[in-house]
Amino acid sequence: QKEVEQNSGPLSVPEGAIASLNCTYSDRVSQSFFWYRQYSGKSPELIMSIYSNGDKEDGRFTAQLNKASQYVSLLIRDSQPSDSATYLCAVNNGGGGGFKTIFGAGTRLFVKA
Amino acid sequence: ETGVTQTPRHLVMGMTNKKSLKCEQHLGHNAMYWYKQSAKKPLELMFVYSLEERVENNSVPSRFSPECPNSSHLFLHLHTLQPEDSALYLCASSPGTSDLLVQYFGPGTRLTVT
C-alpha cells in the first residue's frame, strides 16, 4: 500500500469552477500535512499546511483534514488557468526527528479557459 | 526565488564520471534535504541534514555521497552512476524544528546519465 496516495489525473475543470484534490495516507500517527504546487519544469512550492482536523482557508484555497478517515483534501475556488499544475500532497508523522516527509505522486490539474 | 539555489541546473555525465551537485540556502534554516524526482513517481527523500549532522539516510546507493560542510551548503557527490539515476535532483531546506517542517525547494538539477 502506498503511504500517500493521490489520483494522478489529469483533473480537468472549467475556469471559475471549484477544483477538488484528494489525498489519503496510511500512517495513522501522521501529524503534519502539506499541499505543494509544482508547475511543469519547476520545483514544488508550498500552497497550504494543516495540522488539525477541520478546514483551513487561505484566499481561494481551502485545505480539509480528517484524521479519522486519514484523508486530506485541497479545494481551489474560482479556478484559473494559472492554477494548472501538479499538486503534491505531503505527510509527516513526526518520526525520524520530524524530518521524514512523505510525498504523493501528485495530481495534475488542468483549468480550461 | 525561494532562497535556495542549486548548481548546475543541467548535467549530463557518463557512467564512469565523478561530479558534484551543489545547493546553497540563504534563509538561515537548520535542515537541508536531497530529493530525487523521477517521471510519474513521488518525490523520494534521499538524505536529510540537521545542523550539519546527517539525520536521515533513506537506503540510498553508495554511489551517491552527501556532504554538508555548514548549515548553508549541501553537496551531493556522484560517481559511477547508472542510467536509471537520471532524474531531477531537488534540494530543500526547512527551519528545522519539528513544528516548522515547511520545505523550500531549489530549482533542481536535471541529471542525465549516459
Side-chain angles (χ1 to χ4, degrees), chain A:
Chain A
Q1 181 187 5
K2 295 178 184 176
E3 294 184 77
V4 178
E5 198 148 357
Q6 298 180 255
N7 187 320
S8 62
L11 172 66
S12 184
V13 300
E15 184 175 359
I18 295 176
S20 178
L21 305 163
N22 304 316
C23 172
T24 58
Y25 58 93
S26 59
D27 191 340
R28 285 196 168 273
V29 300
S30 296
Q31 300 174 6
S32 306
F33 306 85
F34 308 91
W35 282 100
Y36 287 82
R37 177 176 63 198
Q38 187 173 22
Y39 291 114
S40 180
K42 302 293 186 180
S43 57
E45 57 178 331
L46 182 76
I47 297 295
M48 295 281 286
S49 59
I50 186 166
Y51 303 99
S52 55
N53 279 328
D55 294 0
K56 179 181 177 183
E57 187 174 319
D58 184 1
R60 295 187 296 112
F61 300 96
T62 298
Q64 299 174 316
L65 175 61
N66 184 326
K67 291 187 179 181
S69 300
Q70 294 173 239
Y71 177 94
V72 58
S73 65
L74 179 70
L75 301 178
I76 306 175
R77 289 182 299 282
D78 188 24
S79 295
Q80 301 297 309
S82 59
D83 294 325
S84 299
T86 296
Y87 289 80
L88 307 177
C89 174
V91 175
N92 187 294
N93 65 10
F99 295 106
K100 191 166 184 178
T101 297
I102 308 298
F103 284 81
T107 298
R108 280 195 298 133
L109 172 66
F110 179 62
V111 180
K112 298 175 290 185

Side-chain angles (χ1 to χ4, degrees), chain B residues 3 7 13-14 19 23 28 46 53 65 75 88 90 95 97 99 109:
Chain B
T7 55
M13 59 186 290
K19 297 286 185 183
C23 176
M46 300 176 73
E53 179 182 347
S65 175
F75 294 89
L88 181 67
L90 290 163
T97 63
D99 291 332
T109 296

Side-chain angles (χ1 to χ4, degrees), chain B residues 12-19 63 78-86 111-114:
Chain B
V12 179
M13 59 186 290
M15 290 189 284
T16 58
N17 291 159
K18 289 185 180 182
K19 297 286 185 183
R63 58 186 183 269
L78 316 171
H79 65 97
T80 59
L81 294 191
Q82 304 298 309
E84 61 263 28
D85 297 323
S86 299
L111 173 67
T112 302
V113 181
T114 60

